[in-house]
């Protein structure tokens, strides 16, 4: 078979896979909205609630500005098609992000790889607790704002990497402007990325200030200014979300809460097991593929994820939103950025010769995540809640 025929075949497989995935997402979201409309909610999806907010003028996210018109034009199917487009956009942006790691791969190969690795979820572990509850994953099927955030968040970080390349010389104003616009757009959909990104960037700028002995102050100020539009949006969103007395962000150790009702973190056994089940692949890459730490992109994504985790563990929303776990969307979206870099490092090592034992272990862990994710998605499309129980979470007894 000639190279041209091989590429055409690969494109055909890629487009078929993407079409099937898009159709599955449209069908899933349509069923979620229909279930909500009947007063049932086997999927426990947020789509119906976000549509209700949009229809009643509670605009705290750019999501409301899109799903309202989509519903007016096409009803439930209109929203489902819109979300299908965002799922495909996330896959496409992830594939673009892989190009730096595997430049020899053609576009259809990277698109297929992106689709496959983003089917991954926390690994299945018998007697390991709920499939989703307490876990961290970059791919979400039930939350409208996160689905729309994902492609813009990754675009913002990828363009940040491009802008940062000029930190020791001349920063490209074009790259800086595009990165700032994507960061602002991501914040308009959901503020969780900038909550972690801004502190991580601040630490990075302080480190650069010390490294250069204040000789790079102009570039550092320019990069720091990029978060101001997003921070302004966060303040506007807070005025909509935190209107009740006692609402707002507070330190968790100053707040009384039922640890068994706190479904994310280290507060009870299912939540702790959820964290453990989320990390086999990224932990394997960090521990076994030490080449990863030679990459600025990898180190920054790992640090940003650590910042997001610290915020989620130490901060909570006050009032009736205490158990909504909204601060955990930060680790979710930052985990997706880290997932991209971890997958890229793994693919690069997979193409190298000879292959190390560490690479094979990482491959096994990634396969475990992907198989678990496919099984999870199949269960979800059968109408089972995203909180799919795995027998019981009591490991020890």
């Amino acid at each position: 078979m000639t190279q041209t025929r091989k590429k055409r075949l690969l494109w055909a497989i890629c487009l078929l896979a993407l079409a099937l995935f898009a159709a599955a997402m449209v069908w899933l979201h349509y069923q979620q909205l229909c279930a909500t409309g009947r007063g049932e909610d086997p999927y426990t999806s947020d789509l119906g609630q976000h549509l209700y907010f949009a229809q009643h003028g509670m605009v705290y996210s750019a999501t409301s500005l899109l799903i309202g018109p989509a519903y007016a034009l096409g009803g439930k199917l209109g929203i489902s098609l819109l979300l299908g487009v965002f799922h495909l956009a996330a896959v496409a942006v992830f594939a673009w992000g892989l190009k730096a790691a595997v430049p020899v791969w053609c576009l259809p190969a990277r698109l297929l790889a992106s689709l496959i690795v983003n089917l991954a979820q926390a690994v299945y572990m018998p007697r390991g607790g709920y499939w989703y509850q307490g876990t961290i994953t970059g791919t979400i099927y039930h939350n409208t704002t996160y689905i729309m955030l994902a492609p813009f968040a990754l675009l913002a970080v990828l363009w940040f990497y491009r802008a940062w390349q000029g930190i020791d010389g001349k920063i490209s104003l074009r790259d800086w402007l595009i990165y700032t616009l994507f960061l602002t757009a991501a914040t308009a959909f959901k503020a969780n990325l900038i909550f972690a990104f801004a502190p991580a960037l601040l630490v990075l700028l302080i480190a650069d200030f010390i490294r250069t002995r204040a000789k790079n102050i102009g570039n550092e100020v320019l990069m720091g200014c990029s978060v101001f539009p997003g921070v302004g949006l966060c303040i506007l969103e807070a005025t909509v979300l935190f209107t009740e007395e006692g609402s707002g962000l507070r330190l968790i150790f100053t707040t009384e809460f039922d640890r068994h009702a706190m479904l994310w973190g280290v507060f009870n056994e299912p939540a702790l097991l959820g964290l453990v089940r989320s990390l086999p692949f990224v932990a394997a890459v960090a521990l076994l593929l030490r080449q990863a730490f030679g990459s600025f992109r990898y180190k920054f994504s790992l640090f940003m994820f650590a910042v997001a985790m610290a915020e989620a563990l130490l901060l909570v929303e006050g009032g009736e939103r205490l158990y909504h776990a909204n601060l955990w969307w930060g680790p979710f979206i930052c985990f997706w950025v880290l997932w991209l870099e971890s997958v890229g490092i793994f693919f690069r090592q997979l193409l190298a010769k000879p292959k190390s034992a560490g690479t094979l272990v990482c491959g096994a862990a990634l396969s475990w995540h992907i198989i678990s994710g496919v099984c999870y998605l199949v269960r979800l499309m059968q109408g089972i809640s995203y909180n799919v129980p795995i027998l019981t979470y009591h490991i020890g007894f």
Side-chain angles (χ1 to χ4, degrees):
M1 187 180 293
T2 65
Q3 286 295 112
T4 302
R5 287 186 176 180
K6 286 181 180 178
K7 193 166 185 179
R8 286 176 179 172
L9 178 60
L10 189 58
W11 264 116
I13 295 171
C14 173
L15 292 175
L16 177 61
L18 290 174
L20 290 173
F21 173 70
M25 293 299 99
V26 171
W27 184 89
L28 175 62
H29 294 314
Y30 184 77
Q31 295 301 318
Q32 289 171 336
L33 287 165
C34 287
T36 303
R38 293 192 300 266
E40 307 167 0
D41 200 4
Y43 302 92
T44 50
S45 167
D46 294 333
L47 272 64
Q49 186 179 43
H50 290 158
L51 176 59
Y52 176 85
F53 289 160
Q55 291 175 323
H56 289 78
M58 184 181 177
V59 179
Y60 67 92
S61 165
T63 301
S64 302
L65 303 177
L66 295 180
I67 61 174
Y71 185 76
L73 288 172
K76 297 181 177 67
L77 182 59
I79 294 178
S80 303
L81 288 169
L82 176 66
L83 292 177
V85 169
F86 272 89
H87 280 294
L88 287 177
V91 170
V93 175
F94 196 95
W96 180 56
L98 283 175
K99 187 175 182 179
V102 282
V104 296
W105 285 8
C106 60
L107 178 57
R110 285 187 280 112
L111 283 168
L112 274 174
S114 171
L115 176 60
I116 292 169
V117 299
N118 280 298
L119 292 174
Q121 295 285 332
V123 299
Y124 172 88
M125 187 169 68
R127 303 179 69 84
Y130 290 97
W131 211 306
Y132 170 83
Q133 213 170 69
T135 67
I136 298 173
T137 175
T139 301
I140 295 298
Y141 301 111
H142 73 278
N143 184 270
T144 331
T145 52
Y146 182 94
I147 292 167
M148 293 185 174
L149 160 72
F152 285 99
L154 194 52
L155 281 169
V157 176
L158 290 173
W159 278 97
F160 162 73
Y161 295 149
R162 295 182 65 150
W164 186 261
Q165 289 175 355
I167 192 69
D168 287 324
K170 182 174 176 59
I171 293 175
S172 166
L173 290 179
R174 174 180 174 272
D175 289 342
W176 179 88
L177 182 60
I178 294 173
Y179 138 64
T180 302
L181 289 173
F182 278 134
L183 181 63
T184 306
T187 308
F189 284 105
K190 207 171 186 67
N192 296 86
L193 174 72
I194 203 170
F195 270 27
F197 180 86
L201 177 61
L202 177 61
V203 171
L204 190 63
L205 292 174
I206 292 172
D208 189 74
F209 181 84
I210 295 172
R211 177 183 67 86
T212 63
R213 299 181 181 180
K215 295 177 181 177
N216 206 17
I217 189 68
N219 283 342
E220 291 155 1
V221 169
L222 180 63
M223 292 302 294
C225 288
S226 63
V227 303
F228 289 165
V231 170
L233 283 178
C234 290
I235 295 172
L236 290 176
E237 291 173 12
T239 62
V240 177
L241 293 174
F242 301 119
T243 57
E244 297 181 2
E245 185 178 352
S247 62
L249 298 181
R250 58 187 62 185
L251 291 169
I252 194 167
F253 48 76
T254 65
T255 306
E256 292 186 7
F257 65 94
D258 179 358
R259 66 185 182 90
H260 294 292
M262 196 67 78
L263 301 179
W264 268 266
V266 293
F267 311 107
N268 53 61
E269 189 175 3
L272 184 58
L273 289 174
L275 279 177
V276 171
R277 294 192 296 106
S278 303
L279 303 176
F281 175 68
V282 294
V285 170
L287 295 174
L288 301 177
L289 304 183
R290 306 300 295 175
Q291 303 90 335
F293 290 93
S295 164
F296 167 78
R297 286 173 47 153
Y298 177 82
K299 289 185 289 188
F300 183 79
S301 66
L302 181 61
F303 180 60
M304 188 167 64
F305 176 65
V307 171
M309 281 293 298
E311 290 174 343
L313 287 168
L314 296 176
L315 299 175
V316 290
E317 294 176 297
E320 63 177 13
R321 298 169 61 89
L322 173 62
Y323 296 108
H324 289 194
N326 284 315
L327 284 163
W328 282 90
W329 293 116
F332 277 54
I333 194 62
C334 293
F335 181 83
W336 197 50
V337 177
L338 176 61
W339 187 258
L340 168 65
E341 299 308 321
S342 299
V343 167
I345 295 293
F346 167 70
F347 283 160
R348 189 181 303 150
Q349 292 305 117
L350 192 64
L351 296 177
K353 294 181 180 180
K355 294 174 179 55
S356 65
T359 304
L360 298 178
V361 172
C362 292
L366 180 58
S367 300
W368 190 12
H369 279 282
I370 293 169
I371 293 169
S372 300
V374 170
C375 295
Y376 168 77
L377 181 57
V378 169
R379 297 288 300 275
L380 192 65
M381 294 186 69
Q382 291 173 339
I384 300 171
S385 164
Y386 66 81
N387 290 319
V388 183
I390 305 175
L391 297 180
T392 172
Y393 61 79
H394 295 295
I395 288 287
F397 49 90

